[in-house]
Every structure is written in structure tokens, then in C-alpha cells.
């Protein structure tokens, strides 16, 4: 069986299980379950701490895993990203009190507190900056107030918690992260079960990103309509019973669907509707 690591808790856990369920895999019904066997798909799912997943995958004990890009890089494990999953997005940045530094170039001799020691140490080394890194498991915002460090490095979403602590973000982002599928470095590219797993997840990603659009339009306006809805290869066009009218069906990006409907209406298209796509293979 294919052995897959899945986050057992945290912000990645729920979305990862939801995506796997959409891809047709059995998932756990209770949070206490640590292993779920899906005999129909010949897969075993192991629910592990997100920070440990890269280590298990790198050891070869598990074939692939889902974790955060930040956790993969911070672990230093011999594993690699093979598919981004478009959820669990975060930005990793430096922050400090106003006037302390303008960016990493000013960090020489300072101490930086973070929960991601591996990422920060590598980032500093890559830029030739001589600074100390102290590891904290959480609430790094208080490290400056308590005199543990002059700078922190942490995940930044809105920046509200940093501002509340009297801190400001400085410099460029260290890393932009999201949930990713990983495998051991040097693992085979043509493992059939892994390829099937990736195709299923890619199908979910496409299904979430597109909608199916159907509409009727006059035949003389078809070229304009097709330019708005080119589909993937090309749209499906069928003649209607009323002469001079055709029905068109095409996949369109979900985020652009409302604007496309407006544009189609302007050129005379009618009976415009969209439907969700629940599964897809390209």
C-alpha cells in the first residue's frame, strides 16, 4: 500500500483531509485516529505532527506526505516538494521595534527569536549576516519585550498582533509558504500509485479553480463569444432548434466567471449559467 503522512492538527489538518476526501480517499472520522486504511485505493494514511512529516518521509518509512513548505525547509530533512496545494498560505518575515533596523543588513551582532530556526539560520547565512538565532516554540512577539532578542522572525498574516506588540515588519519576505506534497529526495518519478495520487489532487485543484459555463448565443456572435470562453482545448458548440442560435459550453476560471458573464450578456448571449466542477482530469 502507498503510505501517506497527513497533518494531525493545526491549520493544515482540516483542509488537507477535505482535499483528500474530494479526491476520493477515505479519511478519519475522529481526531483520535492515527492511522486510516483505505483498501479500495490501496493507501494507508498516517496522521502525524506537521513538523515531523518531512522527517518521516525523508527516512523512507512513508512514501509521501502533506505538510507546509516552511516546515519542510525548516526541518532540513532530505525531502522535496512535488506539488503545491494552494491552501495554508503564509508569509514569513522579520519584525522589530521601530528604529532598530531597516532590514537584515543591519542584523549583525543581534539576536533573532523564531520558531523556525532552520529557515532563519539559512537565510542569514545565505546573505552573509553574522547574527544569533534563538529557538522559541511560540509567542515570539514577547521575546523583544522580555529582552531575549532584538528581532523576531515569524509568520505574518495581517500584522495586527505585531502592531499590538509595538513591532513593525521590516525587509523583504523570507519565505512564502503553503501546503505541499513532499517525497524523499531521489525517490522514483514513475511510481504508479504516487502518480495516481498526484493526478487526483491536481484534479481537485482544477475543479476548485474552474466552473463550467453554458450559454446560448447568435451564430454571428459566436467568434466573439468563443474569444471570451476559449475553454482548455476549445469550447463545445451545438446548434439549437431555433435557427441561427448555438449553445456553448466551456470551462472558465472561477474568479473571472462573473465578469465573463457580463461580457457575454453585452454581446447578446442569453441563458448564461455556471455549475461547479466536482472532479477533473486534464
Amino acid at each position: 500500500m502507498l503510505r501517506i503522512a497527513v497533518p494531525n492538527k493545526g491549520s493544515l489538518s482540516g483542509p488537507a483531509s477535505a482535499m483528500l476526501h474530494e479526491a476520493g480517499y477515505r479519511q478519519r472520522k475522529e481526531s483520535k485516529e492515527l492511522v486510516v486504511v483505505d483498501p479500495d485505493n490501496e493507501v494507508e494514511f498516517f496522521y502525524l505532527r506537521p513538523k515531523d512529516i518531512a522527517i518521516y518521509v525523508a527516512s523512507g518509512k512513508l512514501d509521501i506526505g502533506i505538510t507546509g513548505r516552511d516546515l519542510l525547509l525548516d526541518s532540513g530533512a532530505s525531502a522535496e516538494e512535488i506539488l503545491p496545494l494552494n491552501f495554508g498560505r503564509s508569509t514569513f518575515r522579520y519584525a522589530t521595534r521601530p528604529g532598530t533596523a531597516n532590514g537584515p543588513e543591519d542584523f549583525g551582532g543581534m539576536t533573532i527569536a523564531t520558531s523556525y530556526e532552520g529557515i532563519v539560520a539559512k537565510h542569514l547565512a545565505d546573505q552573509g549576516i553574522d547574527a544569533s538565532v534563538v529557538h522559541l516554540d511560540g509567542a515570539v512577539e514577547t521575546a523583544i519585550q522580555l529582552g531575549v532578542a532584538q528581532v523576531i522572525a515569524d509568520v505574518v498574516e495581517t500584522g495586527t498582533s505585531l502592531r499590538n506588540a509595538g513591532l513593525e515588519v521590516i525587509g523583504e519576505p523570507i519565505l512564502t509558504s503553503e501546503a505541499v506534497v513532499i517525497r524523499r529526495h531521489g525517490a522514483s518519478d514513475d511510481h504508479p500509485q504516487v502518480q495516481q495520487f498526484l493526478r487526483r489532487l491536481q484534479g481537485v485543484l482544477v475543479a476548485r479553480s474552474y466552473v463550467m459555463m453554458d450559454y446560448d448565443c447568435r451564430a454571428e456572435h459566436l467568434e466573439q463569444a468563443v474569444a471570451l470562453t476559449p475553454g482548455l482545448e476549445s469550447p463545445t458548440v451545438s446548434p439549437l432548434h431555433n435557427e441561427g442560435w448555438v449553445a456553448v459550453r466551456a470551462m472558465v476560471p472561477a474568479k473571472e466567471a462573473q465578469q465573463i458573464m457580463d461580457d457575454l450578456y453585452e454581446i447578446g448571449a442569453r441563458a448564461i449559467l455556471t455549475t461547479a466542477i466536482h472532479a477533473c482530469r486534464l
Side-chain angles (χ1 to χ4, degrees):
M1 283 192 170
L2 189 67
R3 295 157 67 88
I4 301 175
V6 183
N8 67 342
K9 60 182 179 179
S11 61
L12 299 180
S13 177
S17 289
M19 175 171 275
L20 291 169
H21 177 74
E22 289 181 52
Y25 293 103
R26 180 181 299 179
Q27 290 297 286
R28 62 181 181 175
K29 297 179 180 178
E30 297 182 2
S31 61
K32 293 181 180 180
E33 292 182 84
L34 301 180
V35 180
V36 170
V37 178
D38 183 348
D40 293 337
N41 292 299
E42 298 186 335
V43 174
E44 285 183 281
F45 292 101
F46 295 81
Y47 296 86
L48 305 169
R49 284 182 26 152
K51 282 192 172 184
D52 296 337
I53 287 176
I55 297 171
Y56 279 104
V57 172
S59 73
K61 303 300 182 183
L62 298 177
D63 299 298
I64 52 179
I66 295 175
T67 189
R69 182 181 295 129
D70 53 351
L71 300 174
L72 166 64
L73 297 176
D74 191 59
S75 72
S78 182
E80 61 185 355
E81 173 184 334
I82 55 175
L83 179 67
L85 296 177
N86 202 29
F87 68 84
R89 293 183 178 277
S90 62
T91 303
F92 198 59
R93 306 195 69 166
Y94 293 113
T96 187
R97 283 176 174 161
T100 301
N102 293 319
E105 66 276 6
D106 299 328
F107 291 169
M110 294 185 182
T111 299
I112 301 163
T114 183
S115 300
Y116 298 83
E117 184 178 1
I119 291 175
V120 174
K122 184 178 186 305
H123 186 258
L124 295 172
D126 288 345
Q127 299 194 46
I129 297 167
D130 183 16
S132 300
V133 180
V134 59
H135 177 84
L136 298 175
D137 281 330
V140 296
E141 296 95 336
T142 60
I144 295 176
Q145 181 181 355
L146 295 175
V148 174
Q150 293 81 43
V151 181
I152 66 168
D154 201 9
V155 171
V156 177
E157 294 180 3
T158 64
T160 300
S161 61
L162 293 177
R163 288 191 293 272
N164 290 340
L167 306 178
E168 65 177 3
V169 171
I170 58 172
E172 295 298 318
I174 303 168
L175 172 70
T176 300
S177 182
E178 65 181 295
V180 296
V181 179
I182 65 171
R183 69 177 176 190
R184 179 174 53 86
H185 271 301
S188 172
D189 288 331
D190 56 4
H191 191 301
Q193 286 178 289
V194 171
Q195 292 305 313
Q196 181 188 64
F197 179 78
L198 295 177
R199 282 195 301 271
R200 288 194 180 192
L201 294 191
Q202 287 167 335
V204 172
L205 292 171
V206 173
R208 289 178 173 182
S209 300
Y210 286 83
V211 294
M212 188 65 72
M213 185 170 288
D214 293 87
Y215 59 90
D216 301 337
C217 76
R218 295 285 305 175
E220 60 265 28
H221 298 149
L222 180 58
E223 291 304 316
Q224 290 176 276
V226 167
L228 293 170
T229 60
L232 297 182
E233 279 76 31
S234 66
T236 299
V237 179
S238 305
L240 292 177
H241 178 71
N242 288 344
E243 188 175 351
W245 283 84
V246 294
V248 183
R249 162 170 276 203
M251 288 173 61
V252 302
K255 63 182 180 180
E256 300 173 16
Q258 291 296 333
Q259 183 61 57
I260 292 172
M261 292 175 80
D262 291 340
D263 294 341
L264 286 172
Y265 193 88
E266 288 297 318
I267 65 171
R270 295 296 183 264
I272 310 167
L273 59 90
T274 62
T275 52
I277 301 170
H278 296 292
C280 181
R281 293 290 186 278
L282 296 181

